[in-house]
Amino acid sequence: MLRSLLIGLVAGQRAMTPLALVAGAARRDRLPKDAPARDLLAHPLVAGGAVALAAAEMAGDKMRTAPDRTVVPGLIARTATAAFAGAALAPAEQRKTAAVLAAATAIAASYVGLSLRMRALRRYGQDKSGFVEDALVLGSGLAITR
């Protein structure tokens, strides 16, 4: 269940990254055999699409016109991907709880992450703070899904 909570932290910063990470884990055969949509996620086109969405989100985050992560559509996306990824990483008997835990963590982490990012943005600028955040999100996400 710890991995589900942690993937919620990732989702709080980047909505599409948990989906890409879980697809990568499916491709590497690192998900439970009965994980939701495991075979679909492992398909090269689906996994590639998930990675493309995550990369596009990371690129878009550097734009000055990018919306805050706490706008309603962003929170909905983070909640959905966190719940799905949290369930996929959990054992079958814990999936519902894991999904709720990951989703709740994503929402809370969105607000905390926005506050931290705004402080970093004022000090280091949009691009530098964004690239550091991307590296932290991707590195921690890979560690969670391995």
Side-chain angles (χ1 to χ4, degrees):
M1 191 98 69
L2 178 62
R3 293 191 324 154
S4 299
L5 179 133
L6 294 173
I7 204 71
L9 292 174
V10 169
Q13 310 323 303
R14 297 288 182 272
M16 295 296 115
T17 300
L19 185 60
L21 291 165
V22 170
R27 299 251 328 128
R28 292 187 314 275
D29 198 26
R30 301 245 180 194
L31 290 180
K33 299 292 182 201
D34 63 342
R38 181 180 183 271
D39 293 338
L40 179 64
L41 288 168
H43 190 280
L45 288 176
V46 174
V51 169
L53 286 171
E57 180 184 21
M58 286 183 179
D61 178 66
K62 311 308 173 291
M63 297 172 59
R64 303 224 182 276
T65 58
D68 287 343
R69 64 193 74 193
T70 57
V71 298
V72 172
L75 287 175
I76 291 169
R78 291 168 205 294
T79 302
T81 60
F84 178 76
L89 293 170
E93 65 278 0
Q94 296 177 345
R95 286 204 179 112
K96 288 179 184 176
T97 304
V100 170
L101 179 64
T105 302
I107 293 169
S110 296
Y111 286 95
V112 173
L114 177 61
S115 176
L116 293 172
R117 175 71 187 278
M118 295 310 290
R119 285 190 227 159
L121 193 143
R122 286 190 291 277
R123 185 167 182 181
Y124 302 107
Q126 179 121 4
D127 292 342
K128 287 180 184 175
S129 64
F131 285 122
V132 168
E133 186 177 29
D134 289 344
L136 291 170
V137 164
L138 192 55
S140 61
L142 286 170
I144 294 162
T145 57
R146 287 190 189 253

